[in-house]
């Protein structure tokens, strides 16, 4: 049986990062200066599983090679789908099936809401819409009959793709001699309560599922053997199991695996000892989900206690080891007021973060999260996939109107532009005054806050 696996291209004018936001995908403007293009890891893993089970496969990444020729025929088509390009991806999937004369069409997506999955199935004409957690059942999905799953986790085989097509400029800008870059997963799933709004637990599950250490080490060795110099780990919380992370780093050093790498984790899953091991094993950058710079908002949304001094200290320690840190904030978290958001902007200024050291995304009710259900039930937004870019205001919350979130996003962009232009302290002070005036001008009455479930 022949299976063609396709990562569809997207219309020009914007860049889609399919693996971001738990695999739901982020859409950024072409003007964004970062060059971030990852291989379609889940599709690649599925192709590797199918090949191991005796299927003939063709894998095409039309996002990076839009002119790549499709095979003449194929029995089955598997096509990926992301939230911001849902309409486009449904149409592409249907067109691939017809063009290849396939008898089965499967759509692979991280979206975890049954009503949205039903809509995708109806619009694409797919036989099955499935998620990354079902990749082990690839043979059954493709054949339409019950077939055994592989006995153990199978890592994606990057020799099936053209590794020269992928990039991650935050790391290669630090080390232009790094060469090729790929992405990988050392684990899946995240158990933290910020899953109220965060799409990772919805897409990957709330159970932490580490890739077996020996399998992961073999995967890293095979990456290095392909001449790839850098790896971006796409785990929701890379160092959730700190002891395992330390062991991974020790083994990488002991076995001479020379790769530069980047990951994302939480501040409370790092300490100086682990950071030292990570640096020795090649870590060059860590993204930290801080969410809010306002202690009250942070405690309500993530059950973490924000410690400004700890953040400043750990950043200084990591920087001294050659590890860059980027702090991730979300504008408009559930329960946030105007003042909470302005406190976050003040926090960024007080920490002295440069523009490459923080990212501001916009609260988005991702289907499959409890926040999405609340937003639908309370009539806060109309579900329009093309507006769910991760950066556009598209829903009100219990405490902020859509206009207020949009204004807060604009103020954040203004702050970023001023910091980028390296304006003097007086200009930053004037901007902060404007922000504070806006915060104090908030309407007096608000609906009660959303309860954040553990
Ligand atoms: S720790 Fe990070 S990945 Fe996990 S639920 Fe919270 S925000 Fe999402």
């Amino acid at each position: 049986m022949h299976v063609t696996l396709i990562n569809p291209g997207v219309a020009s004018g914007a860049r889609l990062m399919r693996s971001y936001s738990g695999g739901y995908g982020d859409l950024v403007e072409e003007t964004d200066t970062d060059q971030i293009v990852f291989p379609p890891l889940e599709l690649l893993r599925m192709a590797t599983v199918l090949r191991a089970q005796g299927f003939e496969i063709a894998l095409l990444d039309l996002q990076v090679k839009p002119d790549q020729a499709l095979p003449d025929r194929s029995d089955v088509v598997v096509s990926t789908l992301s939230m911001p390009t849902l309409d486009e991806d449904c149409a592409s999937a249907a067109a691939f099936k017809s063009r290849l004369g396939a008898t089965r069409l499967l759509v692979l997506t991280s979206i975890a809401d049954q009503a949205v999955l039903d809509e995708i199935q109806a619009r694409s004409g797919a036989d099955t819409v499935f998620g990354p957690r079902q990749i082990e059942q690839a043979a059954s999905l493709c054949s339409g009959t019950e077939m055994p799953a592989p006995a153990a986790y199978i890592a994606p085989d990057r020799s099936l793709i053209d590794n020269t097509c992928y990039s991650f400029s935050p790391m290669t800008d630090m080390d232009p001699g790094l060469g090729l870059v790929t992405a990988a997963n050392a684990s899946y799933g995240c158990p933290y309560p910020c899953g109220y709004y965060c799409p990772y637990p919805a897409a990957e599950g709330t159970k932490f599922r580490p890739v077996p250490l020996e399998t992961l080490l073999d995967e890293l060795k095979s990456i290095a053997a392909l001449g790839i110099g850098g790896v971006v780990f796409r785990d929701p919380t890379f160092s959730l199991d700190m002891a395992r992370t330390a062991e991974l780093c020790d083994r990488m050093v002991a076995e001479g695996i020379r790769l530069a790498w980047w990951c994302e984790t939480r501040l409370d899953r790092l300490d100086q000892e682990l950071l030292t091991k990570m640096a020795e094993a090649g870590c060059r950058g860590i993204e930290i989900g801080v969410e809010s710079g306002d202690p009250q908002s942070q405690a309500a949304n993530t059950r973490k206690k924000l410690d400004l001094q700890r953040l400043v200290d750990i950043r200084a320690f990591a920087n001294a080891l050659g590890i860059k840190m980027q702090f991730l904030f979300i504008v408009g978290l559930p329960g946030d007021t105007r003042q909470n958001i302005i406190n976050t902007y003040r926090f960024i200024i007080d920490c002295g973060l440069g523009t490459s050291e923080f990212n501001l995304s916009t609260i988005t009710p991702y289907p499959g999260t409890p926040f999405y259900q609340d937003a639908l039930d309370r009539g806060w937004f109309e579900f329009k996939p093309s507006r769910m870019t991760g950066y556009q205001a598209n829903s009100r919350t219990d405490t902020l109107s859509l206009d207020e979130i949009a204004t807060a996003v604009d103020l954040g962009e203004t702050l970023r532009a001023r910091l980028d232009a390296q304006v003097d302290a007086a200009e930053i002070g004037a901007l902060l005054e404007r922000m504070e005036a806006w915060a104090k001008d908030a309407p007096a009455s608000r609906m009660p806050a959303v309860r954040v479930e553990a």
Side-chain angles (χ1 to χ4, degrees), residues 10-87:
V10 289
S12 58
R15 249 179 311 130
L16 176 66
M17 299 191 291
R18 288 192 190 272
S19 78
Y20 274 44
S21 295
Y24 281 61
D26 280 358
L27 198 62
V28 295
E29 299 301 322
E30 282 291 8
T31 47
D32 191 293
T33 49
D34 281 341
Q35 283 301 320
I36 299 175
V37 187
F38 293 138
L41 263 192
E42 303 299 359
L43 207 60
L44 181 57
R45 199 156 74 79
M46 182 160 180
T48 312
V49 168
L50 286 169
R51 191 189 53 179
Q53 295 193 286
F55 287 75
E56 265 185 87
I57 52 139
L59 174 61
L60 293 89
D61 186 353
L62 300 183
Q63 229 186 314
V64 294
K65 288 191 167 181
D67 299 327
Q68 199 174 0
L70 296 175
D72 293 335
R73 284 197 63 77
S74 196
D75 301 306
V76 182
V77 169
V78 183
S79 191
T80 51
L81 179 143
S82 302
M83 173 66 72
T85 49
L86 187 148
D87 297 340

Coordinates of all heavy atoms in Angstrom, one line a residue, residues 10-87:
V10 N 1.2 27.2 2.4 CA 0.2 28.2 2.8 C 0.4 29.4 1.9 O 1.4 29.7 1.3 CB 0.4 28.6 4.3 CG1 0.0 27.5 5.2 CG2 1.8 29.1 4.6
A11 N -0.8 30.2 1.8 CA -0.8 31.3 0.9 C 0.3 32.3 1.4 O 0.6 32.4 2.6 CB -2.1 32.0 1.0
S12 N 0.8 33.1 0.5 CA 1.9 34.1 0.9 C 1.3 35.2 1.7 O 0.1 35.4 1.7 CB 2.5 34.6 -0.4 OG 1.6 35.2 -1.2
G13 N 2.1 36.0 2.3 CA 1.7 37.1 3.1 C 1.8 36.9 4.6 O 1.8 37.8 5.4
A14 N 2.0 35.7 5.0 CA 2.2 35.4 6.4 C 3.0 34.1 6.5 O 3.0 33.3 5.6 CB 0.9 35.3 7.1
R15 N 3.6 33.9 7.6 CA 4.4 32.7 7.9 C 3.7 31.8 8.9 O 3.4 32.3 10.0 CB 5.8 33.0 8.3 CG 6.8 32.7 7.3 CD 8.2 33.0 7.6 NE 8.4 34.3 8.1 CZ 9.0 34.6 9.3 NH1 9.5 33.6 10.0 NH2 9.2 35.8 9.6
L16 N 3.5 30.6 8.6 CA 2.8 29.7 9.5 C 3.8 28.8 10.2 O 4.6 28.2 9.6 CB 1.8 28.8 8.8 CG 1.1 27.7 9.6 CD1 0.1 28.3 10.6 CD2 0.3 26.8 8.7
M17 N 3.8 28.8 11.5 CA 4.7 27.9 12.3 C 3.8 26.8 12.9 O 3.2 27.0 14.0 CB 5.4 28.7 13.3 CG 6.3 29.8 12.6 SD 7.5 30.6 13.7 CE 6.4 31.6 14.7
R18 N 3.7 25.7 12.2 CA 2.7 24.7 12.5 C 2.9 24.1 13.9 O 1.9 23.7 14.5 CB 2.6 23.6 11.4 CG 2.0 24.0 10.1 CD 1.8 22.8 9.2 NE 1.4 23.2 7.8 CZ 0.2 23.5 7.4 NH1 -0.8 23.4 8.3 NH2 -0.1 23.8 6.2
S19 N 4.1 24.0 14.3 CA 4.3 23.2 15.6 C 4.2 24.1 16.8 O 4.2 23.6 17.9 CB 5.7 22.6 15.6 OG 6.7 23.5 15.9
Y20 N 4.0 25.4 16.6 CA 3.9 26.3 17.8 C 2.5 26.2 18.4 O 1.5 25.7 17.8 CB 4.1 27.8 17.4 CG 5.6 28.1 17.4 CD1 6.6 27.2 16.9 CD2 6.1 29.3 18.0 CE1 7.9 27.5 17.0 CE2 7.5 29.6 18.1 CZ 8.4 28.7 17.6 OH 9.7 28.9 17.6
S21 N 2.3 26.7 19.6 CA 1.1 26.7 20.4 C 0.5 25.2 20.4 O -0.6 25.0 20.0 CB 0.1 27.6 19.8 OG 0.5 29.0 20.0
G22 N 1.4 24.3 20.9 CA 0.9 22.9 21.0 C 0.6 22.2 19.8 O -0.1 21.2 19.8
G23 N 1.1 22.8 18.6 CA 0.8 22.1 17.3 C -0.4 22.7 16.7 O -0.8 22.4 15.5
Y24 N -1.1 23.7 17.4 CA -2.3 24.3 16.7 C -1.8 25.3 15.6 O -2.5 25.5 14.7 CB -3.1 25.1 17.8 CG -4.0 24.3 18.6 CD1 -3.5 23.3 19.4 CD2 -5.4 24.5 18.6 CE1 -4.3 22.5 20.2 CE2 -6.2 23.7 19.4 CZ -5.7 22.7 20.2 OH -6.5 21.9 21.0
G25 N -0.6 25.8 15.8 CA 0.0 26.7 14.8 C -0.1 28.2 15.1 O -1.1 28.6 15.6
D26 N 1.0 28.9 14.9 CA 1.0 30.4 15.0 C 1.2 30.9 13.6 O 1.9 30.4 12.8 CB 2.1 30.9 15.9 CG 1.9 30.7 17.4 OD1 0.7 30.3 17.7 OD2 2.8 31.0 18.1
L27 N 0.5 32.1 13.4 CA 0.7 32.7 12.1 C 1.3 34.1 12.4 O 0.7 34.9 13.1 CB -0.7 32.9 11.4 CG -0.7 33.2 9.9 CD1 -0.1 32.0 9.2 CD2 -2.2 33.4 9.5
V28 N 2.5 34.4 11.8 CA 3.1 35.7 12.0 C 3.3 36.3 10.7 O 3.4 35.7 9.6 CB 4.5 35.6 12.7 CG1 4.3 35.0 14.1 CG2 5.5 34.7 11.9
E29 N 3.4 37.7 10.7 CA 3.5 38.4 9.5 C 4.9 38.2 8.9 O 5.9 37.9 9.6 CB 3.4 39.9 9.8 CG 2.0 40.3 10.3 CD 0.9 40.0 9.4 OE1 1.0 40.1 8.2 OE2 -0.2 39.5 9.9
E30 N 5.0 38.3 7.5 CA 6.3 38.2 6.8 C 7.3 39.1 7.3 O 8.5 38.9 7.2 CB 6.1 38.4 5.3 CG 5.5 37.2 4.6 CD 6.3 35.9 4.5 OE1 7.4 35.9 5.2 OE2 5.9 35.0 3.9
T31 N 6.9 40.2 8.0 CA 7.8 41.2 8.4 C 8.6 40.8 9.7 O 9.6 41.4 10.1 CB 7.1 42.6 8.8 OG1 5.9 42.2 9.6 CG2 6.6 43.3 7.5
D32 N 8.1 39.7 10.4 CA 8.8 39.2 11.5 C 10.2 38.8 11.1 O 10.3 38.1 10.1 CB 8.0 38.0 12.1 CG 8.5 37.6 13.4 OD1 9.6 37.1 13.5 OD2 7.8 37.7 14.4
T33 N 11.2 39.3 11.8 CA 12.5 39.1 11.3 C 13.1 37.7 11.7 O 14.1 37.3 11.0 CB 13.5 40.2 11.9 OG1 13.2 40.2 13.3 CG2 13.2 41.5 11.3
D34 N 12.5 37.0 12.6 CA 13.1 35.7 13.0 C 12.8 34.7 11.8 O 11.7 34.7 11.3 CB 12.4 35.1 14.2 CG 13.0 35.7 15.5 OD1 14.1 36.3 15.4 OD2 12.4 35.7 16.5
Q35 N 13.7 33.9 11.5 CA 13.5 32.8 10.5 C 13.4 31.5 11.3 O 14.4 31.0 11.7 CB 14.8 32.8 9.5 CG 14.8 33.9 8.5 CD 13.5 33.8 7.6 OE1 13.0 32.8 7.2 NE2 13.0 35.0 7.3
I36 N 12.2 31.1 11.4 CA 11.9 29.8 12.1 C 11.1 28.9 11.3 O 9.9 29.1 10.9 CB 11.2 30.1 13.5 CG1 12.0 31.0 14.3 CG2 10.9 28.8 14.2 CD1 11.3 31.5 15.6
V37 N 11.7 27.8 10.8 CA 11.0 26.8 10.0 C 11.5 25.4 10.5 O 12.6 25.1 10.4 CB 11.4 26.9 8.5 CG1 10.5 26.0 7.7 CG2 11.3 28.3 8.0
F38 N 10.5 24.7 11.0 CA 10.8 23.4 11.6 C 10.3 22.3 10.6 O 9.3 22.5 9.9 CB 10.1 23.1 12.9 CG 10.6 24.0 14.0 CD1 9.7 24.6 14.9 CD2 12.0 24.2 14.2 CE1 10.2 25.4 15.9 CE2 12.5 25.1 15.2 CZ 11.6 25.6 16.1
P39 N 10.9 21.1 10.6 CA 10.4 20.0 9.8 C 9.1 19.6 10.4 O 8.8 19.7 11.6 CB 11.5 18.9 10.0 CG 12.2 19.3 11.2 CD 12.2 20.8 11.4
P40 N 8.2 19.0 9.5 CA 6.9 18.5 10.0 C 7.1 17.2 10.8 O 6.9 16.1 10.3 CB 6.1 18.3 8.7 CG 7.2 18.0 7.7 CD 8.4 18.7 8.1
L41 N 7.5 17.4 12.1 CA 8.0 16.3 12.9 C 7.0 15.1 13.0 O 7.3 14.0 12.9 CB 8.2 16.8 14.3 CG 9.7 17.1 14.7 CD1 9.8 17.3 16.2 CD2 10.7 16.1 14.2
E42 N 5.7 15.5 13.3 CA 4.7 14.4 13.5 C 4.5 13.6 12.2 O 4.3 12.4 12.2 CB 3.4 15.0 14.0 CG 3.5 15.8 15.3 CD 4.0 15.0 16.5 OE1 4.3 13.8 16.3 OE2 4.2 15.5 17.6
L43 N 4.4 14.3 11.1 CA 4.3 13.7 9.8 C 5.5 12.8 9.5 O 5.3 11.6 9.0 CB 4.1 14.7 8.7 CG 3.4 14.4 7.5 CD1 1.9 14.0 7.8 CD2 3.4 15.6 6.5
L44 N 6.6 13.3 9.9 CA 7.9 12.5 9.7 C 7.9 11.3 10.5 O 8.3 10.2 10.1 CB 9.1 13.4 10.0 CG 10.5 12.9 9.9 CD1 10.7 12.4 8.5 CD2 11.5 13.9 10.3
R45 N 7.4 11.4 11.8 CA 7.3 10.2 12.7 C 6.3 9.2 12.1 O 6.6 8.0 12.1 CB 6.9 10.7 14.1 CG 7.3 9.7 15.2 CD 7.4 10.4 16.5 NE 6.1 10.8 17.1 CZ 5.3 9.9 17.7 NH1 5.6 8.7 17.8 NH2 4.2 10.4 18.2
M46 N 5.2 9.7 11.6 CA 4.2 8.8 11.0 C 4.8 8.0 9.8 O 4.6 6.8 9.6 CB 3.0 9.5 10.6 CG 1.9 8.6 10.1 SD 0.3 9.4 10.2 CE -0.8 8.2 9.5
A47 N 5.6 8.8 9.0 CA 6.2 8.2 7.8 C 7.2 7.1 8.2 O 7.2 6.0 7.6 CB 6.9 9.2 7.0
T48 N 7.9 7.4 9.3 CA 8.9 6.4 9.8 C 8.2 5.2 10.3 O 8.7 4.0 10.1 CB 9.8 7.1 10.9 OG1 10.2 8.4 10.5 CG2 11.0 6.2 11.2
V49 N 7.1 5.4 11.1 CA 6.4 4.2 11.6 C 5.8 3.4 10.4 O 5.9 2.1 10.4 CB 5.2 4.7 12.5 CG1 4.2 3.6 12.8 CG2 5.8 5.3 13.8
L50 N 5.2 4.0 9.4 CA 4.6 3.3 8.3 C 5.7 2.5 7.6 O 5.5 1.3 7.2 CB 3.9 4.3 7.4 CG 2.6 4.8 7.9 CD1 2.1 6.0 7.0 CD2 1.5 3.7 8.0
R51 N 6.8 3.1 7.3 CA 7.9 2.5 6.6 C 8.4 1.2 7.4 O 8.6 0.2 6.8 CB 9.1 3.4 6.4 CG 10.1 2.9 5.4 CD 11.3 3.8 5.4 NE 11.8 4.0 6.7 CZ 12.9 4.7 7.0 NH1 13.6 5.3 6.1 NH2 13.3 4.8 8.3
A52 N 8.5 1.4 8.7 CA 8.9 0.2 9.5 C 7.9 -0.9 9.5 O 8.2 -2.1 9.7 CB 9.1 0.7 11.0
Q53 N 6.6 -0.6 9.1 CA 5.6 -1.6 9.1 C 5.3 -2.1 7.6 O 4.3 -2.7 7.4 CB 4.3 -1.1 9.8 CG 4.6 -0.9 11.3 CD 3.3 -0.7 12.1 OE1 2.7 0.4 12.0 NE2 2.9 -1.7 12.8
G54 N 6.2 -1.7 6.7 CA 6.1 -2.3 5.4 C 5.4 -1.5 4.4 O 5.2 -2.0 3.2
F55 N 4.9 -0.3 4.7 CA 4.2 0.6 3.7 C 5.2 1.3 2.8 O 6.3 1.6 3.2 CB 3.4 1.6 4.4 CG 2.2 1.1 5.1 CD1 2.3 0.4 6.3 CD2 0.9 1.3 4.6 CE1 1.1 -0.1 7.0 CE2 -0.2 0.8 5.2 CZ -0.1 0.1 6.4
E56 N 4.8 1.5 1.6 CA 5.6 2.4 0.7 C 5.2 3.8 1.0 O 4.0 4.1 1.1 CB 5.2 2.1 -0.8 CG 6.0 1.1 -1.5 CD 5.6 1.1 -3.0 OE1 6.0 1.9 -3.7 OE2 4.7 0.3 -3.2
I57 N 6.1 4.7 1.1 CA 5.8 6.1 1.5 C 6.4 7.1 0.6 O 7.5 6.9 0.1 CB 6.1 6.4 3.0 CG1 7.6 6.0 3.2 CG2 5.3 5.6 4.0 CD1 8.3 7.0 4.1
A58 N 5.7 8.3 0.5 CA 6.3 9.5 -0.1 C 6.0 10.6 0.9 O 4.9 10.7 1.4 CB 5.7 9.8 -1.4
L59 N 7.0 11.4 1.3 CA 6.8 12.5 2.2 C 7.1 13.8 1.5 O 8.2 14.0 1.1 CB 7.6 12.3 3.5 CG 7.7 13.4 4.5 CD1 6.3 13.6 5.1 CD2 8.6 13.0 5.6
L60 N 6.2 14.7 1.5 CA 6.4 16.0 0.8 C 6.1 17.2 1.8 O 5.1 17.2 2.4 CB 5.5 16.2 -0.4 CG 5.7 15.3 -1.5 CD1 4.9 14.0 -1.4 CD2 5.3 16.0 -2.8
D61 N 7.1 18.1 1.9 CA 6.9 19.3 2.7 C 6.7 20.5 1.8 O 7.7 21.1 1.4 CB 8.1 19.5 3.7 CG 7.8 20.7 4.6 OD1 6.8 21.4 4.4 OD2 8.6 20.9 5.6
L62 N 5.5 20.7 1.4 CA 5.2 21.8 0.4 C 5.3 23.2 1.0 O 5.3 24.2 0.3 CB 3.8 21.6 -0.2 CG 3.6 20.2 -0.9 CD1 2.2 20.2 -1.6 CD2 4.6 20.0 -2.0
Q63 N 5.4 23.2 2.3 CA 5.6 24.5 3.0 C 7.0 25.1 2.6 O 7.2 26.3 2.5 CB 5.5 24.4 4.5 CG 4.5 25.4 5.0 CD 4.5 25.4 6.6 OE1 4.3 24.3 7.1 NE2 4.5 26.6 7.2
V64 N 8.0 24.2 2.5 CA 9.3 24.6 2.2 C 9.7 24.4 0.8 O 10.6 25.0 0.2 CB 10.4 24.0 3.1 CG1 10.2 24.5 4.6 CG2 10.4 22.5 3.1
K65 N 9.0 23.4 0.1 CA 9.3 23.1 -1.3 C 7.9 23.1 -2.0 O 7.4 22.0 -2.4 CB 9.9 21.7 -1.4 CG 11.4 21.7 -0.9 CD 12.0 20.4 -1.4 CE 13.5 20.5 -1.2 NZ 14.2 19.3 -1.6
P66 N 7.4 24.3 -2.3 CA 6.0 24.3 -2.9 C 5.9 23.7 -4.3 O 4.9 23.3 -4.7 CB 5.7 25.8 -2.9 CG 7.0 26.5 -2.6 CD 7.9 25.6 -2.0
D67 N 7.1 23.6 -5.0 CA 7.0 23.0 -6.3 C 7.3 21.6 -6.4 O 7.5 21.0 -7.5 CB 8.0 23.8 -7.2 CG 7.7 25.3 -7.3 OD1 6.5 25.6 -7.3 OD2 8.6 26.1 -7.4
Q68 N 7.5 20.9 -5.3 CA 7.8 19.5 -5.2 C 6.7 18.7 -5.9 O 5.5 18.9 -5.6 CB 8.0 19.0 -3.8 CG 8.7 17.7 -3.7 CD 9.0 17.4 -2.2 OE1 8.6 18.1 -1.3 NE2 9.7 16.3 -2.0
A69 N 7.1 17.8 -6.8 CA 6.1 17.0 -7.6 C 5.4 16.0 -6.7 O 6.1 15.3 -6.0 CB 6.7 16.4 -8.8
L70 N 4.1 15.9 -6.9 CA 3.4 14.8 -6.2 C 3.5 13.5 -6.9 O 3.8 13.5 -8.2 CB 1.9 15.2 -6.1 CG 1.4 16.4 -5.3 CD1 -0.1 16.6 -5.5 CD2 1.8 16.3 -3.9
P71 N 3.4 12.4 -6.3 CA 3.5 11.1 -7.0 C 2.3 11.0 -8.0 O 1.3 11.8 -7.8 CB 3.3 10.0 -5.9 CG 3.4 10.7 -4.6 CD 3.2 12.2 -4.8
D72 N 2.3 10.1 -9.0 CA 1.2 10.0 -9.9 C -0.1 9.5 -9.2 O -1.2 10.0 -9.5 CB 1.6 9.1 -11.1 CG 2.7 9.7 -11.9 OD1 2.7 11.0 -11.9 OD2 3.4 9.0 -12.6
R73 N 0.2 8.5 -8.4 CA -1.0 7.9 -7.7 C -0.6 7.5 -6.3 O 0.6 7.4 -6.0 CB -1.4 6.6 -8.4 CG -2.2 6.8 -9.7 CD -2.9 5.6 -10.1 NE -3.9 5.2 -9.1 CZ -5.1 5.7 -9.0 NH1 -5.5 6.7 -9.7 NH2 -6.0 5.3 -8.1
S74 N -1.6 7.4 -5.4 CA -1.3 6.9 -4.1 C -2.6 6.3 -3.5 O -3.6 6.8 -3.8 CB -0.8 8.1 -3.2 OG -0.2 7.6 -2.0
D75 N -2.4 5.3 -2.7 CA -3.7 4.7 -2.1 C -4.2 5.5 -1.0 O -5.4 5.6 -0.8 CB -3.3 3.3 -1.5 CG -2.8 2.4 -2.6 OD1 -3.4 2.2 -3.7 OD2 -1.6 1.8 -2.4
V76 N -3.3 6.2 -0.2 CA -3.8 6.9 0.9 C -3.0 8.3 0.9 O -1.8 8.3 0.6 CB -3.4 6.2 2.2 CG1 -3.9 6.9 3.5 CG2 -4.0 4.8 2.2
V77 N -3.8 9.3 1.3 CA -3.1 10.6 1.5 C -3.3 11.0 3.0 O -4.4 10.9 3.5 CB -3.8 11.7 0.6 CG1 -3.3 13.1 1.0 CG2 -3.5 11.5 -0.9
V78 N -2.2 11.5 3.6 CA -2.2 12.0 4.9 C -1.8 13.5 4.8 O -0.7 13.8 4.3 CB -1.3 11.3 5.9 CG1 -1.4 11.8 7.3 CG2 -1.5 9.8 5.9
S79 N -2.6 14.4 5.3 CA -2.3 15.8 5.1 C -2.5 16.5 6.5 O -3.4 16.2 7.2 CB -3.3 16.4 4.1 OG -2.9 17.7 3.7
T80 N -1.5 17.4 6.8 CA -1.6 18.1 8.1 C -2.5 19.3 8.0 O -2.7 19.9 7.0 CB -0.2 18.6 8.5 OG1 0.4 19.3 7.5 CG2 0.7 17.4 8.9
L81 N -3.0 19.7 9.2 CA -3.9 20.9 9.3 C -3.6 21.7 10.5 O -3.4 21.1 11.6 CB -5.3 20.4 9.3 CG -6.4 21.4 9.4 CD1 -7.7 21.1 8.5 CD2 -6.9 21.7 10.8
S82 N -3.5 23.0 10.4 CA -3.3 23.9 11.5 C -4.5 24.8 11.7 O -5.3 25.1 10.8 CB -2.0 24.7 11.3 OG -0.9 23.9 11.1
M83 N -4.6 25.4 12.9 CA -5.8 26.2 13.3 C -5.9 27.4 12.4 O -6.9 27.7 11.8 CB -5.7 26.6 14.7 CG -6.7 27.6 15.2 SD -8.3 26.8 15.1 CE -8.2 25.7 16.5
P84 N -4.8 28.3 12.3 CA -5.0 29.5 11.5 C -5.3 29.3 10.0 O -5.8 30.2 9.4 CB -3.7 30.3 11.7 CG -3.0 29.6 12.8 CD -3.5 28.2 12.8
T85 N -4.9 28.1 9.5 CA -5.1 27.9 8.1 C -6.1 26.7 7.9 O -6.0 26.0 6.9 CB -3.8 27.5 7.4 OG1 -3.1 26.5 8.2 CG2 -2.8 28.7 7.3
L86 N -7.1 26.6 8.8 CA -8.0 25.5 8.7 C -8.8 25.4 7.4 O -8.8 24.4 6.8 CB -9.0 25.6 9.9 CG -10.0 24.5 10.1 CD1 -10.3 24.3 11.6 CD2 -11.3 24.7 9.4
D87 N -9.2 26.6 6.9 CA -10.0 26.6 5.7 C -9.1 26.1 4.5 O -9.5 25.2 3.7 CB -10.5 28.0 5.3 CG -11.4 28.5 6.4 OD1 -12.0 27.7 7.1 OD2 -11.6 29.7 6.5

